[in-house]
Amino acid sequence: MTEQLKLEVRNKKLIENEGFKFKDLNGNGVLDPYEDWRLPSSVRAKDLAYRMTIEELCGNMMIKSQRMGLAQEDKEKTSHNGLLDEEVYEDKNIFIGQINHGSTGHIIDKNLRHFILRDNFSEEEIAEWTNAMNEVAESSRLGIPVIIASNSRNENAERTFGMNDAVGVFTTYPSTLGLAAAYLGDKARNYHPDGDYEYSIFKEFGEIARDEWKYSGLRKGYMYMLDTATDPRWQRFYGTLGEDTDLITKAGEDLIEAFQSDELNSESVALTMKHFPGGGARENGFDPHYKEGKFNVYRTPGSLEKYHLPPFKAAAEKKVSSIMPYYSIPAHDKSAVQNYKGSKIPFEPVGFAFNQYFIQDILRDDMGFKGYINSDSGILDNMAWGMMHLEKQDRAACAVNNGVDLISDTNEVEWIIKAYEEGKISRERLIEANIRLLTEMFDLGLFDDKTYVDPQKAKDFVADEDNKKKAYSAHQRSVVLLKNKDNTLPMKDKAKVHVDFLHKEADKAETFRKEAIEDLKEREDIEIVEDAKEAEYIFVQITPKSGNYFSATPGLLELDLCENKTNKAIDGTQYSETTVANIDKLVEYRKIADENGAKVIISVNSTMPWLLEKAEKNSDALLAHFETFASAQMDVLSGKFAPTGKLPFTFPKGEEVIAVDEDGICISPNDVPGYDKDKYMPEGMTYAYLDECGNEYKLGFGLDY
């Protein structure tokens, strides 16, 4: 029996038909098919798409970052009680230079309905903002609602544009690498909480995040990265799930199930997984956000099919709502022959969003992907690799005709319109793209009972203490014990501990040191001491930083833990590089510890496969963590929680195993995961780091007590 949906309107009216109420979104007093919530989403989407003007069709095919009014300093440039930013200004960034219109201008004048939220306000404020955005959208000609996307918000990290735009509001787990480390540890010890054999940390994480997002009005996630991380110098390594293709595939399947369910529905958050066909096969770490990294290089025969494509095939089979292609061009002249199911892959010299073979032949025809293609940001502008010689309307035509349905982080609707007016894109192709996009919105209930959300419900759910406890357990389980010389750990009870923090930026290091001490000072199992000479244990957390995925380093990205290291740039000149300020303090601490009979414990924030020699040689115990809370790390050190985490990637032995010759060829292949690189190394050379205790820091390694 059909039950009446609970509908709310703020600008339009409700109408009745056959005893049921519906939104009269176009205000014509008649129940049109797209307004009838009893009909299948595909039927409603098709009906609506054919009612839309060219301007409305094209506007719905772009997604743009939209600032909240709360982030606007000049409140005269806001509307809806300060919730919506209405400023019009020139916006120049790494992707594009464009006129950024206000919220109402984007919705009403530019006909945009897809937006990216990057601000870091509370869940209540986000809910109120999404409601205000939809109130404006409801007032439009057809009453098409907005859908708000975001990058991930449930992992701990320093805020980083394009990756961790927002941190610390929602339930906070370790990074995705930390989730992978915890998963491998759970698997190794056959951990099934409460006898739940369907459990995985990815499902738990996804289900909590899904509900926090949907109650806040966020219904589309730019996540997660299914890239197999094979190049240790890739700056985006930290946003991946590591180097294990099978783990990445499993994680993708579980996350889709958690966020979307078996079929997208009104309780789902739709996912856009990335970056097809895998962004990990970099050329010595350089990234396609800049021209130096615009190629994917596959020097190893079979690497693309074996290591990089499987997670995307699984995601397509699990009906992920959307897939995002990477910017990069598959490099023909630098790559070995790559086959897919026995046939040679033609490496057309254009970025993957424009690449017919990868999008149409592999992703759609072979993998059976039925969702929509969401490009990465900047494909019409600064990252139109292989298409830079074309006019923007021609770039738009190539992308759309190749299957791109949504173009990211731009409001340049005019280029799709111009391509249509010049006969380069058909109206039927625009309608096809819109049917895909609108079907997602109908499935999510955005036209019906999920247009508006309850800010109080969002607040109540985010405050759930049980969810925080689950996240904290994940932090504990993400810690990987790499070295434990002479059973340094666990520490003795009520030990005197000196706490320090090293970071690329010395001022940040001091801030983080104080935060860590504040987090640990009330513990009863340790005593914090300010003077390292009075300590029984010297605990040093290190957060290295290297490079920026929006700009190339002068030379190869540095993985050594170093300060003011002289490096050679690509052009032959010299430059100085620092990944950790005051790294020599490790030598000082080693000396102090030896003089006073103390132990040095070092924990490295393993956002990338750092060269660990300086940390390992000066430590009695060495840990890898992944944006893990200091208190959870201390639980492991003190023995309150025995370490269970396992490495989600392999740490390289040293600079010799990632050396690059004058032809730009790395001695260890950039397109092969660390655990398999030995197969392709010179005879007698191995890739993984080996410490003084004989521990090899490979995928899946981790000590316990």
Side-chain angles (χ1 to χ4, degrees), residues 90 120 123 134 248 270 275 282 328 374 441 497 502 508 573 585 617 665 670 681:
E90 186 175 6
N120 196 33
E123 68 285 349
N134 266 313
I248 298 163
H275 304 86
R282 309 272 23 93
S328 40
N374 188 151
M441 296 170 72
V497 182
L502 301 181
K508 283 189 176 181
T573 60
K585 289 181 77 173
K617 295 296 185 186
I665 300 176
N670 306 117
M681 304 276 286

Side-chain angles (χ1 to χ4, degrees), residues 438-484:
L438 292 167
T439 296
E440 177 186 77
M441 296 170 72
F442 280 114
D443 284 343
L444 294 172
L446 290 172
F447 280 84
D448 305 312
D449 58 334
K450 304 297 182 183
T451 312
Y452 301 105
V453 294
D454 181 353
Q456 184 60 48
K457 194 168 185 178
K459 181 179 180 180
D460 291 343
F461 194 86
V462 171
D464 191 310
E465 289 298 325
D466 286 341
N467 292 340
K468 291 180 171 60
K469 289 176 182 177
K470 290 177 181 178
Y472 189 80
S473 172
H475 279 271
Q476 293 173 317
R477 287 147 52 209
S478 72
V479 176
V480 180
L481 179 60
L482 298 173
K483 174 185 175 183
N484 194 19

Side-chain angles (χ1 to χ4, degrees), residues 495-552:
K496 293 182 178 180
V497 182
H498 176 76
V499 176
D500 204 353
F501 201 109
L502 301 181
H503 189 281
K504 179 182 176 73
E505 301 171 50
D507 57 340
K508 283 189 176 181
E510 179 59 19
T511 298
F512 291 138
R513 184 186 77 87
K514 290 178 179 178
E515 289 177 355
I517 291 174
E518 186 67 24
D519 194 25
L520 301 173
K521 70 179 183 180
E522 300 300 327
R523 295 181 70 104
E524 296 181 354
D525 52 355
I526 61 170
E527 178 187 347
I528 303 292
V529 295
E530 189 63 30
D531 188 347
K533 294 178 181 178
E534 297 178 2
E536 296 168 283
Y537 299 90
I538 300 172
F539 174 43
V540 186
Q541 293 183 72
I542 304 177
T543 291
K545 296 282 182 178
S546 188
N548 182 323
Y549 68 80
F550 291 134
S551 59

Side-chain angles (χ1 to χ4, degrees), residues 233 284 286 290 504 545-548 551-560 562-579 655:
R233 291 189 180 95
N284 303 317
F286 291 110
Y290 43 85
K504 179 182 176 73
K545 296 282 182 178
S546 188
N548 182 323
S551 59
T553 49
L556 300 175
L557 188 138
E558 184 60 70
L559 293 180
D560 189 21
C562 62
E563 182 174 28
N564 298 325
K565 180 179 180 179
T566 300
N567 281 344
K568 187 176 182 180
I570 300 297
D571 63 6
T573 60
Q574 292 185 335
Y575 70 101
S576 180
E577 183 66 85
T578 292
T579 59
E655 291 181 338

Side-chain angles (χ1 to χ4, degrees), residues 44-252:
R44 300 175 72 186
K46 184 176 181 179
D47 175 73
L48 176 55
Y50 276 99
R51 294 173 185 272
M52 295 167 71
T53 65
I54 292 299
E55 290 75 17
E56 288 166 339
L57 291 167
C58 295
N60 196 42
M61 293 174 65
M62 291 195 160
I63 182 168
K64 179 74 179 71
S65 294
Q66 183 61 58
R67 185 171 58 186
M68 293 172 66
L70 297 174
Q72 171 61 260
E73 294 181 2
D74 185 352
K75 298 308 176 185
E76 300 260 331
K77 297 177 180 178
T78 66
S79 68
H80 291 72
N81 296 317
L83 289 170
L84 300 187
D85 176 37
E86 302 293 4
E87 183 180 7
V88 179
Y89 61 97
E90 186 175 6
D91 180 16
K92 290 186 177 181
N93 55 53
I94 60 124
F95 303 117
I96 192 173
Q98 63 185 335
I99 299 299
N100 199 328
H101 298 268
S103 304
T104 301
H106 277 141
I107 295 170
I108 301 299
D109 301 328
K110 305 289 283 186
N111 296 295
L112 268 63
R113 289 300 183 273
H114 292 76
F115 295 96
I116 307 168
L117 177 64
R118 302 189 187 276
D119 291 329
N120 196 33
F121 291 99
S122 75
E123 68 285 349
E124 274 187 290
E125 291 164 324
I126 293 171
E128 290 167 351
W129 175 74
T130 61
N131 285 345
M133 291 284 283
N134 266 313
E135 187 173 332
V136 173
E138 188 186 308
S139 71
S140 65
R141 186 179 77 91
L142 294 170
I144 301 172
V146 302
I147 180 169
I148 308 297
S150 172
N151 287 297
S152 53
R153 289 173 174 259
N154 290 80
E155 300 99 80
N156 190 41
E158 291 181 50
R159 286 188 69 188
T160 305
F161 174 82
M163 283 294 296
N164 296 93
D165 294 317
V167 175
V169 173
F170 293 166
T171 299
T172 306
Y173 278 72
S175 70
T176 48
L177 287 170
L179 294 178
Y183 171 81
L184 288 173
D186 290 350
K187 184 178 179 182
R189 63 192 175 113
N190 201 28
Y191 174 65
H192 301 286
D194 302 321
D196 181 5
Y197 288 88
E198 294 299 314
Y199 167 87
S200 85
I201 194 168
F202 302 118
K203 286 185 180 178
E204 172 195 284
F205 165 82
E207 288 169 359
I208 291 172
R210 174 201 64 208
D211 287 345
E212 292 184 337
W213 282 51
K214 75 179 182 186
Y215 291 139
S216 303
L218 304 177
R219 302 304 302 276
K220 171 178 159 70
Y222 270 158
M223 53 205 187
Y224 285 85
M225 289 174 63
L226 298 183
D227 312 272
T228 303
T230 55
D231 189 328
R233 291 189 180 95
W234 187 32
Q235 215 275 339
R236 299 197 75 175
F237 202 108
Y238 73 94
T240 72
L241 288 149
E243 70 180 20
D244 184 341
T245 304
D246 291 340
L247 181 155
I248 298 163
T249 300
K250 166 67 173 171

Side-chain angles (χ1 to χ4, degrees), residues 656-676:
E656 69 276 13
V657 301
I658 56 172
V660 176
D661 67 18
E662 61 275 8
D663 296 319
I665 300 176
C666 187
I667 198 167
S668 55
N670 306 117
D671 56 333
V672 173
Y675 70 87
D676 246 3

Side-chain angles (χ1 to χ4, degrees), residues 1 50 69 85 146 161 181 185 211 272 322 349 390 392 397 433 540 595 612:
M1 181 178 177
Y50 276 99
D85 176 37
V146 302
F161 174 82
D211 287 345
T272 298
S322 175
L390 298 179
K392 286 189 181 182
V540 186
E595 289 174 350
L612 293 178

